[in-house]
Amino acid sequence: MLQDCNCFKTNCMKNIFLAFCLIICLVCCKIATAQNQTVKGIVVSEDGTPVSRVTVTVKGTNTAVMTNEDGVFEILADEKGVLVFSATAMETQEVPIDGRLNIRVVLRKYTKQLDDVVVIGYGSVRRRDLTGAVATLNSDELNNNRPLTIQQALQGKLAGVNVLSNDGAPGGGISIQIRGANTFSGSGEPLYVVDGVPINISNSSATPLEGTVADPNSYTKNQTNALAFLDPKDVESIQVLKDASATAIYGSRGANGVVIITTKSGKQGRPQLDFSTEQGWSHIIKFTEVMSAREYTQYINDVLYWTNYWRLYDPATGTSSYKPNPEDFPYPGIFDYAQGVYKKGPNDYSDERNVWQRAIMRSGRNQQYSIGVSGGTANTTYALRISRADQHGIVDNTRFQRNGFNFNLNQKAFKWLSLGLNSNLSYIKYNLVNTANTNDQTTMGLIKTAIYARPIDAEAPLSFLDEGGFYATSSPLAYVNTPDVTDQTSAFTNIYGEITFLPSLKLRSNLGYHYHQSQRHKYYNSNLYEGRHNQFGEGYAQEGFTRNVNMSFENTLTYDRHFQKHHLNVMGTLSMNQYEWNNQSMSVRGFGSDVTQGYDMGQAVGIPTLSSSKGQSNLMSYLGRVTYNYDNRYYATASVRHDGASNFAANNKWATFSSFALAWNAANEAFLRDVKWMDLFKFRFSYGYTGNQGIGAYASLARLIANNYPFEGTLNNGFIISGVNPGNANLKWETTRQSNFGVDLGLFDSRLNFTMDMYYKKTYDLLQYKSVAMSTGVQRMPMNIGAVENKGLELTLSATPIKNNNFTWDFSANWSTNKNKILKFGDNPDAQDLYGPYRLEGLILKEGYPIGQLYGYVEDGYWNSIDEYKNSSFYKYIQENDPASLPTDELIVQNYLGEIKYKDLNNDGQLNEYDRTMIGNVNPDFIYGFTNRFEYKKFSLNIFFQGVYGNDILNATLLNFNTTSTWPNRPPGLLDQAWTPERSVSNPEIIKYPKLGQNLNRSVRFSRRYVEDGSYLRLKNISLSYRIDKLFNLRDVKGINITFNVNNVFTITKYTGFDPEVNSAGSGNAAWRGIDVGAYPYARTYMLAMQVQF
Amino acid sequence: MKKIILLALFSALILQGCKKFLEEKPFDFVSPENVYDSPKGVKQLVTGMYGVFFSTNLFRTEAWIYLTSCDDDWTNGLDWVMGTYGVGNFTGGWVYNNSGNDPYYVFYRLIRATNTVLEVLPNVEFSAEETYLKEQFEGEALGLRAMAYFYLVQMYGPVPLRLRSDDPDNMPRSSVKDVYAQIIDDLHKAEDKLLLNSRRTSAIKRGHFTKGAAQLLLAKVYSTMGSGSLTNAQISVTTHASRTASGEIVRTSHTFTKNKVAGYDFDPKIVYDSAKQVVTRLINTREYELERFGNNWNPANFGGKDFVFALETDSSTQVAYTPYNKFFTPPGLKGAGWLTYVKDFYYIHDPDDERGMYGICHEWKSNNLMPNGVWKRQFFPAEDSNKVYEKYGKANVETNINSNSIYLMKWYLGNAANPQVLLNVNDAGTLISTPTQNFPLLRYAEAYLILAEAENELNGPTALAYDALDLLRSYRYKEDAPKISRTMTQEQLRILYLGRTK
């Protein structure tokens, strides 16, 4: 082969990694091979129209040309040669020349999907030969809505794949859950595999998790999107492995599903250069509605009025003797003659609502640029892309910047050896704000402060708002000017070599390396609450550094042979993986000046807090798979993986995971073979075991912790066993057993494809930190207890209802449902309240109920009169059991009248924790997405809807609206929907809030009031493109694509918060999904994109 | 062939060192293997046992509950705590087996640490000159284990008896009798193995459990068993006290009939006899000395005098972090001031009683009630102010402030006779520094109380009992303080030791 192109061999072998040489080389090749006869021809489509831009190559050589506008080509080729015709969205065709000088070729439109090659981990198969449940997304589908990160692109596109944005921050983290939650302890994130290399980085929110006073270093943990380093434009395809047959090959890491990402490689043919640019603008869609300054002042007046009203309320007459006079109100709107000043009244204040939210929001600006070149010869292909993305968030001073470089190279060095490289370098910079991920009042965070801050302070300087009993927090505007910068550097390489021993026997060696480091700097200046209130001085700086290094080495031997009607594929792999991480963080208070923004930590007077950690986990595996297919009718697959993991406990170092699958394609049976419109009618069944290493490194090892003691006044080192990690040498992985039944249907030349999958998953030996008897001297330890099941149904449909010369309509839709249930919780079958990171009761883990079950009190209207309370069972209970503590009429007025009435569910006359019940479920009934794509001449229109139905959201933002002691801003409805004696008689149906007043003895109980329906249907993306094939007769410009794109066009939902897509905490723990604590809001984005191809 | 060699090479590369590859190597924490096998490690485990005392949930915050309520009826505190622990209900509130936030857990944590030491010790080789440490450490572990079980059995009655660190999760409770049997067994063994206080070495610094501590604890255990087993015994308790205008103290007492404590099926005669024997052994060693009350808090007296076993402190575990601060010390002295005396109780002390003078804080500054954070001097009670200042070496006090309702703080922070005085004489009520102050868990004075108690219960109010109490009095009052009247009955004498009049 190489003899044809001597110049390539001599010039380029030495410089194999320099892509530019390849271009030069191509030119050389053209000259060198110009010795044969000229073959002319025309390429037409099935309907006879000429097809331009078809790459025509002489098979086995580097000679390639393209068809022109009229579909005509001219190429030098040997008369016995074979021409290869390939074009985007067309089926590749090989045509022998047979001495002809003029050739007419009919190219068929690509029968999409069925003949796609699907990467399934340690191998690939044609889609029509799949035996497992694998969902695929190609580059075009991926990039339709111009996503910044991979996961954004997956949302709503694949059945059974639930994508949850952690928040709306630029480049923010996203969680993916495949076929329901399997685990209580870990995040339940799938395994990501990029170009064959498993990625080992946590994939949490880009926004900072706030630390606590006890653990200030938790401030500096850098948790960002693990896959942000990859530009979706560099991605060729994404495969999501869902059933056991597909995932068991990843053994102890497969239980949560596997996402396989393949980056773009070059294709044989002339170099293709493309340049693309995107310019976008984003805006907030919706505010969390709070009062305007006028309403707020009115509200304060009302509260004071009602406070006095209740103070002078006479229970006997049911009226109050309170006579209001203007001096009682802070906002009377009168001229004070004594002081000679006009005191502002409510009507003197602004009518604009949500002023603080407006103050911190702005229009965000996005820009993306990328330039790429790709191409190749018969022996060498390459693809190179440089890109830059810069997205400003809608909250002031938030920004995501990524500079990326992606380079893929494949070289056939000898007849028996191929070599290649996939590499990616990226540098990411996040500018973050302190968005709330905690319900701790002392660390409110920006978004919550902007919701709760009093609107009358809008003109206040950039300082505190803690006067008047308000939260200990600072002005939202002060927060947005707080530097909080994270830099991430990622270097990814995968080098492979493939040896072909025999045509049917190949050995492939992969060496993957991923280096990822992240550094976060944060400074709270002396004007901020966090920066001021401390005995160690003003200004608080934090610096955190994280480094992850992941190496994998895999050797795969594949035997693949067709004989007669049999097709046998046997694969065996040895795999080693090493993952190492370390973190350092430091923080200090007490800076002389804010000028240096904490970059001079040595100057600070406070005592620095230092911490660091380091760890390593190793995995070594033997795995194999046998695939057999008879006559494309009967299929069988069996796979096994034997994993040895350092994470596993000493007595359980090795585990085996296996699966099998059977499939039958009825369409190829004799009785259906004549049905021409049926391409595929396949039944699949699979069964197998996978594991979850969520165990975490070192979880099984006993730890000693320092326990020092000062003998004779001098501290001595002492050790004691940890109270939570006393060691458990029998700790195991979680095991998931899954069965799957599926049907695939391909009709009318693949113009209609339908896939249905049903599955049942049971995960057992769940890893949990369980409380042990306190008398053991330890509190908790990791144990394998409990089981959870997931069962579901997934439907995918794609169709091309109309396809003619000028107009094409493609439609695709997916729908999936999953039911999750805890089968066994452990030794303690009782419910376990989850307080979580927000100190919220409300979520519960209980046998027979799903993970994400909401638990609370049931409301029963309001106490409308004193007598109503006196006639209640609560009053009777006290009368009978503790008459000394019977509330007086005055106390009933203060504590009950006009307050929320809760149901005494167990009828014991008391209201306590035993009166709680199941009040909601954060898991959706089903999720769905559908896309319509229209092509008319050179226009194409893409409309993508996505939705979730039947889930509840715990809206924690509302909880803070119900306290009585502080003065945060409130929802406007409080003014005319609060309980009053008149309303309780005249129109009780409008009452939505308990009575107003200060010093009320109100305890906020978690009830359905704080739970909202989270269902939504969203027009996620609409994009319109126009294609220009020619520009001013410029020869090299092959096409220009102009796209106008809108993301988050509208959302139909009843949810009252910023956005129904909430997952502030669930990224770290599957049991904490569906909580809204005021996360970064989502934006609507308008984008104009242009792509020029050369 | 070449290819096969290549393949074999690959395989060989991978298979090699496979076992080691899967071993987990901790980098950022210490695991037992790193510690359990060396003399140095054992010393660290021994230190770790004592470190439990400084757990947030043991003597760092709530210790006063166990220290005083198991021992003493005279404490007063906030209603919400005293309503449960104060009446002896240790299962109330958050203090029972539901979190790491309770004494039940922390004492078991101490027990696990002692069990670990006992299990590790036999496998460790000490050098020739340190061989004695093996015995000593074993004695310390046994002594501390007994101490933990002694607190547990007093607070919770029957409790699981865990004698190994790997005992199963679901262990049943053992009877009170069995727990006491174990405590006594451990303490007898400890007594044999431990060094005398005077024979301590540089490796066994002050703060380690010693022979004397084991003896005193054992005597205390026996006398507790004895008093718990007494049936139908008459006990008089002083319930109120006031002072007349002339300074004369008027006390009101009430006589109760004491019933047997559940599970305490011991023969009082036998256990009291044991108590008397042990305490006599202790006194005969002449290892400890009685000290005047006010001098006890002088660091020079921390070792070898009245403090037989005390919680040690240093600058990192200084007063701000100990129970002194959290509970005994008034807010103006950086404390939280939860544990208080009422005026009615203050008058129980004779005016000459140093415990009233030095055991109670009379003056402090408080900003509690004042607006704008201005500190206010508070003093109580006014009639003793000059006398107190005389003791402190300062005359002409501006007495002022406060009604009868103000609480007095229990005060352990030193006195005028002590050069380490902590009160700032120039600005009364503030601390000069944040000093280290040991906190006694076993005091020598108790030996004489136990002696008097055992003798009184065995033989009635004999000269031995009277002499023991008179000896204690001579260290509390003026040296020529009048002796106790020799005409008291057995019941009347009980008031003097059941009140734990230390």
Side-chain angles (χ1 to χ4, degrees), chain B residues 110-131:
Chain B
L110 176 56
I111 288 164
R112 186 172 176 133
T114 59
N115 286 338
T116 305
V117 169
L118 292 172
E119 289 154 20
V120 166
L121 261 179
N123 308 322
V124 179
E125 288 301 315
F126 283 88
S127 64
E129 55 273 21
E130 283 201 323
T131 319

Side-chain angles (χ1 to χ4, degrees), chain A residues 129-200:
Chain A
D129 294 341
L130 267 178
T131 54
V134 178
T136 305
L137 206 60
N138 66 30
S139 175
D140 286 348
E141 294 163 311
L142 193 69
N143 283 299
N144 252 335
N145 54 341
R146 314 271 150 195
L148 264 181
T149 60
I150 304 285
Q151 298 102 322
Q152 280 173 2
L154 285 173
Q155 192 170 36
K157 299 275 175 66
L158 302 172
V161 180
N162 194 6
V163 178
L164 299 155
S165 304
N166 297 343
D167 69 16
I174 287 183
S175 299
I176 291 185
Q177 194 174 62
I178 296 169
R179 291 188 166 180
N182 278 344
T183 175
F184 308 145
S185 51
S187 65
E189 293 286 311
L191 172 71
Y192 293 98
V193 178
V194 177
D195 288 331
V197 181
I199 299 292
N200 260 330

Side-chain angles (χ1 to χ4, degrees), chain A residues 416 499-502 507 509 553 555 557 574-578 580-581 612-620 622 643-648 653-654 696-705 707-724 726 771-779 783 827, chain B residues 3-4 6-7 10-11 13-16 18 20-33 35-36 43-55 97-100 102 104-105 108-110 112-113 140 160 162 165 167-171 200 204-208 310-317:
Chain A
W416 55 273
I499 302 168
T500 308
F501 298 107
L502 301 164
L507 174 70
S509 249
F553 183 45
N555 296 281
L557 194 64
L574 298 171
S575 161
M576 283 173 96
N577 192 287
Q578 183 168 72
E580 196 178 287
W581 65 92
S612 64
S613 66
K614 177 182 162 91
Q616 194 187 72
S617 78
N618 295 337
L619 178 71
M620 125 156 258
Y622 304 87
D643 266 348
S646 65
N647 287 4
F648 295 161
K653 281 287 180 206
W654 288 90
Y698 307 111
S700 69
L701 292 192
R703 288 170 186 238
L704 293 181
I705 54 172
N707 210 32
N708 303 331
Y709 190 75
F711 291 113
E712 214 153 327
T714 312
L715 210 57
N716 289 44
N717 286 110
F719 284 114
I720 193 166
I721 197 83
S722 157
V724 290
S771 295
V772 293
M774 287 288 161
S775 60
T776 55
V778 298
Q779 296 175 52
M783 282 190 261
D827 288 347
Chain B
K3 291 156 194 170
I4 292 163
L6 204 68
L7 195 63
F10 271 122
S11 315
L13 272 173
I14 292 158
L15 292 169
Q16 214 175 28
C18 154
K20 214 174 168 195
F21 187 68
L22 296 181
E23 259 172 37
E24 221 166 8
K25 294 174 278 286
F27 295 98
D28 55 9
F29 65 92
V30 179
S31 59
E33 302 87 82
V35 171
Y36 284 10
K43 285 176 198 165
Q44 288 166 332
L45 288 178
V46 167
T47 306
M49 299 191 304
Y50 291 88
V52 177
F53 288 132
F54 271 114
S55 294
N97 199 19
N98 53 11
S99 73
D102 56 41
Y104 183 85
Y105 168 67
Y108 270 110
R109 200 152 166 69
L110 176 56
R112 186 172 176 133
E140 289 185 38
R162 290 181 180 275
S165 66
D167 276 338
D169 191 4
N170 54 346
M171 253 188 123
R200 283 188 293 107
I204 305 295
K205 291 210 169 80
R206 191 186 74 215
H208 283 270
L311 196 63
E312 291 280 329
T313 49
D314 75 337
S315 56
S316 69
T317 50

